[in-house]
Amino acid sequence: MAWQCNTCGARHDEIPTCFGIEAPWRALVPEADFSRRVQLSADQCVIDDGTFFIRGHVEIPIRDFSEPLAFSVWSSLSEKSFRHICERWTSPLRAADPPYFGWLCSPIGVYPSTLHLALSVQSRAPGLVPLFTVEPSDHPLAIDQLQGITIGRWHEIAHIILHDRSD
């Protein structure tokens, strides 16, 4: 399945295994107030010095394939957890930190509402964003993360997402 990237304009022949979702600030802050109220980096977002988000990956195993399907999404964290994860951001030992509790704050359009699913947020080695594990439930995202998906389902998800982005 060939596709054209809307960001770089290049044509690609391989199906992506990672899809990103924008930081959640737009749901909370008018665009005109962005520079005054939002602190945003590639991996962290703070709104009004009191609402804290971290970017990480929800990874779904793809059966009979070497890589998982990853959704690069955002989780809210308590101020204490956010400050701790930031303090440890460059520590080579951060992967050994206990997981943090968070709430998924990104819509993943190929699943029913994913907003506010409970997450375990596990730091990984520097250079890797945290791994988000959806708490066990009957939500299809939690089931897929636990059981994995077929290569056919991965292709279907990629087709839906790439088609939506090209509209």
Side-chain angles (χ1 to χ4, degrees):
M1 177 176 77
W3 60 281
Q4 183 170 347
C5 176
N6 285 340
T7 302
C8 71
R11 188 163 174 79
H12 301 276
D13 292 324
E14 295 182 13
I15 299 171
T17 55
C18 186
F19 295 96
I21 288 123
E22 182 177 47
W25 67 268
R26 288 183 194 276
L28 302 170
V29 176
E31 192 152 353
D33 293 345
F34 175 84
S35 61
R36 185 172 52 81
R37 298 178 54 197
V38 179
Q39 299 166 38
L40 179 64
S41 71
D43 300 316
Q44 299 160 353
C45 180
V46 178
I47 299 172
D48 296 328
D49 295 320
T51 305
F52 305 92
F53 303 96
I54 193 88
R55 186 176 67 88
H57 285 178
V58 171
E59 293 185 351
I60 299 172
I62 302 171
R63 290 185 228 119
D64 301 318
F65 193 72
S66 61
E67 295 179 51
L69 173 61
F71 293 101
S72 184
V73 294
W74 295 81
S75 171
S76 64
L77 290 176
S78 69
E79 181 175 3
K80 180 180 177 184
S81 294
F82 182 81
R83 300 237 182 262
H84 187 263
I85 206 169
C86 289
E87 288 168 7
R88 306 269 298 149
W89 198 251
T90 58
S91 170
L93 303 176
R94 75 181 195 172
D97 290 349
Y100 305 91
F101 176 81
W103 296 103
L104 185 56
C105 292
S106 297
I108 303 175
V110 295
Y111 288 98
S113 180
T114 55
L115 295 178
H116 306 117
L117 289 175
L119 298 174
S120 171
V121 176
Q122 181 62 58
S123 292
R124 299 192 282 184
L128 297 174
V129 295
L131 180 64
F132 294 169
T133 303
V134 179
E135 294 292 326
S137 72
D138 61 356
H139 192 282
L141 180 59
I143 293 167
D144 283 355
Q145 193 173 39
L146 181 65
Q147 297 178 356
I149 60 173
T150 64
I151 290 174
R153 177 66 177 139
W154 161 45
H155 290 183
E156 179 184 314
I157 288 170
H159 179 76
I160 292 167
I161 293 171
L162 294 172
H163 184 268
D164 284 349
R165 289 184 176 174
S166 65
D167 290 344

